[in-house]
Amino acid sequence: MLASLAAALTAAFAGAPPAQAETPPPTAVSCPAELDGRATCYTGQDADGAYYAMAVPAHWNGSLVVHAHGGPDLGTGSDPARSVDDLARWSVMVKEGYAWAGSSYRRGGYGTRMAAEDTENVRRLFVANFGKPRRTYVHGQSWGGDVAAKVVEVYGRRGGPYDGALLTSGVLGGGSRGYDYRVDLRVVYQYYCRNMPRPTEPRYPLWQGLRADSTLTTAGLRARLQECTGYASAPQDRTALQQRNLDDVLAVTGVPERTLESHLRFAVFTFRDIVIGRLGGRNPFSNQGVRYSGSHDDEALNAGVERFTADPTAVRDLSYDSDLTGKVSIPVLTLHAIDDPTAFVEHEAAYRATLRGAHRDRYLVQTFTHESEHSALSDAEYADSIAALDGWVRTGRKPTPGTIADSCAAFDRSYATGCFYDPDFRPASYASRVRPRPGGLHWPAMTAAQEKRWSRIAGVGIAP
């Protein structure tokens, strides 16, 4: 049913006229199968062209969850099916009695502040059409965790429209530092594999990800990765050279084998979007001063790996767009798998250090689970998390990782997906997992004072 709904929406929106200044009201549609008979669902397009989905449960508790999705997706326009898919994926929130609203964002590609603005826009549309909720929570997943954290800092003042935030599996190190391990993967991969680009293909600097006019596809990337490392083959079917290449790439970068391909895709295609599409060809990345280790020959690796220095204006613009200041004034609860293979759990250490550096860590509670997933933790834990955040906001009593772990069993009786909390876990520093660049040990990566100064520069950041 969800697939047919998404297809129908895509067809309906194909060739739609540009968004007008006056946004039409949401249109009632069939809900995803997960919410059949439980809610009334709506879709629409906002004035900036972003498609969205909303749901109001039959037994609404009066509060709203506004969702910020991950990615970023790399399509050119807004995807009308994306927010519908997200509604199905996060139907647990609606099942728990919360209304839900999520934006597909006005375009694909990188842009944290743009996505934060689109998230705020969908909240305003919900209020305009269904009235002001009793309480409003912003929920961000993966890169959407960075988006939601930006929503908290830009729109989440005390007494403002948001009462709290739930950040799940969040990429909370920000853009200027949060992708350094993918920078390392890009250059280490090329040192061993020498096939992106091949010696016979036009060269380009690796910080670009991929040259602007390349026709390489994701299938082509997978073929080259397989050619070099045999990553998709059983160990016994790899050549000795493939196995050594694979061992060296994994050991040096710390990227898990099961997500090697997805991290490399980001370091190729998303880096191209950031550099070429958003920063006008300027380089925001550096690996100067980084010593790589763990390979079969570290000396040769460090002598031969490509090195580059970032353009300060590109660093500024990426930082302004996506780094966090820690300027938080509402409760923030996070949930993260200890063995997250995509957004390493050390992102949480970066976020805590950011709030601590801003003297705002009293607003933060972090929870961790013995799971090994990024995008699909236990529904019981998601339900438990939103309930814990709601209780904190309603009563003013700050929960602890222990009390949240204890309350999960009640939700698991409904969802039967398990509770895997480790209340005593604390992640090591971000620098313990990702090789820091010079000056990269202090948090926040962008202070509130820097943000204010930069905001006065015409054209700063990444354009919507």
Side-chain angles (χ1 to χ4, degrees):
M1 181 174 181
L2 177 58
S4 60
L5 172 58
L9 284 168
T10 302
F13 287 132
Q20 303 300 311
E22 241 180 74
T23 306
T27 301
V29 296
S30 298
C31 287
E34 292 85 347
L35 295 175
D36 191 27
R38 292 174 176 260
T40 305
C41 297
Y42 305 85
T43 59
Q45 185 180 23
D46 73 16
D48 291 315
Y51 294 109
Y52 63 84
M54 298 175 179
V56 180
H59 303 288
W60 185 22
N61 64 15
S63 295
L64 170 68
V65 172
V66 184
H67 180 70
H69 76 69
D73 301 333
L74 295 182
T76 54
S78 183
D79 179 3
R82 176 64 201 244
S83 54
V84 177
D85 293 342
D86 288 334
L87 173 57
R89 180 180 174 193
W90 298 103
S91 60
V92 60
M93 302 297 178
V94 183
K95 292 173 185 177
E96 288 300 305
Y98 295 87
W100 188 95
S103 171
S104 292
Y105 310 148
R106 70 190 72 178
R107 62 158 172 78
Y110 204 85
T112 304
R113 285 181 182 265
M114 173 204 72
E117 183 179 342
D118 291 342
T119 301
E120 165 62 4
N121 285 344
V122 79
R123 182 201 66 81
R124 294 181 182 183
L125 280 169
F126 184 93
V127 172
N129 287 278
F130 301 103
K132 183 179 179 181
R134 188 175 300 152
R135 285 171 288 277
T136 300
Y137 303 113
V138 60
H139 168 222
Q141 163 69 19
S142 190
W143 175 60
D146 188 44
V147 173
K150 185 67 74 175
V151 168
V152 169
E153 294 185 359
V154 175
Y155 306 104
R157 64 192 180 279
R158 189 194 298 270
Y162 296 94
D163 298 284
L166 173 62
L167 313 179
T168 58
S169 310
V171 180
L172 300 174
S176 75
R177 299 179 189 172
Y179 306 126
D180 281 345
Y181 55 94
R182 287 167 171 160
V183 173
D184 295 337
L185 172 62
R186 187 68 182 91
V187 298
V188 170
Y189 174 85
Q190 182 63 12
Y191 172 80
Y192 289 112
C193 298
R194 304 188 188 281
N195 64 9
M196 274 196 295
R198 299 185 190 279
T200 56
E201 294 174 330
R203 296 192 61 78
Y204 52 87
L206 296 181
W207 49 260
Q208 204 174 81
L210 191 64
R211 73 178 197 272
D213 60 348
S214 173
T215 58
L216 182 73
T217 63
T218 55
L221 179 146
R222 286 193 291 268
R224 295 188 189 207
L225 178 59
Q226 171 68 9
E227 167 193 297
C228 175
T229 68
Y231 82 106
S233 299
Q236 64 270 21
D237 296 328
R238 297 169 186 151
T239 68
L241 180 57
Q242 284 178 327
Q243 188 64 61
R244 192 178 77 172
N245 287 342
L246 181 61
D247 290 343
D248 280 341
V249 169
L250 298 178
V252 174
T253 64
V255 169
E257 183 173 346
R258 60 198 167 107
T259 50
L260 173 60
E261 185 262 335
S262 64
H263 283 292
L264 187 60
R265 269 192 286 116
F266 194 105
V268 171
F269 298 111
T270 307
F271 276 15
R272 177 171 65 175
D273 175 77
I274 292 171
V275 172
I276 303 297
R278 311 302 157 200
L279 295 175
R282 292 171 295 143
N283 172 27
F285 305 123
S286 172
N287 66 342
Q288 292 292 345
V290 174
R291 175 159 180 80
Y292 298 106
S293 60
S295 73
H296 77 277
D297 188 342
D298 290 347
E299 186 175 345
L301 170 62
N302 283 281
V305 75
E306 185 173 316
R307 302 280 181 176
F308 37 80
T309 302
D311 178 332
T313 66
V315 176
R316 177 202 67 198
D317 286 353
L318 183 58
S319 180
Y320 181 78
D321 180 74
S322 58
D323 282 346
L324 301 169
T325 66
K327 191 178 176 183
V328 169
S329 303
I330 59 175
V332 177
L333 175 65
T334 74
L335 172 68
H336 215 120
I338 294 169
D339 190 29
D340 187 327
T342 299
F344 302 150
V345 73
E346 289 80 7
H347 275 277
E348 296 286 344
Y351 191 57
R352 176 167 285 281
T354 295
L355 267 65
R356 185 179 295 122
H359 308 291
R360 301 294 180 95
D361 51 319
R362 65 187 179 277
Y363 292 107
L364 178 64
V365 173
Q366 294 174 298
T367 61
F368 304 95
T369 68
H370 284 295
E371 290 169 279
S372 300
E373 300 298 329
H374 172 65
S375 298
L377 304 186
S378 164
D379 272 358
E381 293 166 354
Y382 292 132
D384 186 31
S385 296
I386 193 65
L389 178 63
D390 183 59
W392 183 4
V393 169
R394 285 186 295 102
T395 67
R397 292 194 295 272
K398 184 178 180 179
T400 68
T403 61
I404 294 172
D406 290 343
S407 61
C408 182
F411 295 96
D412 198 40
R413 284 193 284 273
S414 296
Y415 294 99
T417 52
C419 298
F420 307 98
Y421 289 100
D422 183 345
D424 299 319
F425 178 80
R426 298 292 181 274
S429 70
Y430 190 70
S432 71
R433 183 67 180 262
V434 181
R435 290 176 172 84
R437 277 52 179 166
L441 292 174
H442 301 291
W443 301 88
M446 172 182 66
T447 66
Q450 279 178 313
E451 180 185 43
K452 187 174 182 179
R453 286 197 304 272
W454 287 343
S455 70
R456 300 189 183 106
I457 300 171
V460 73
I462 289 176

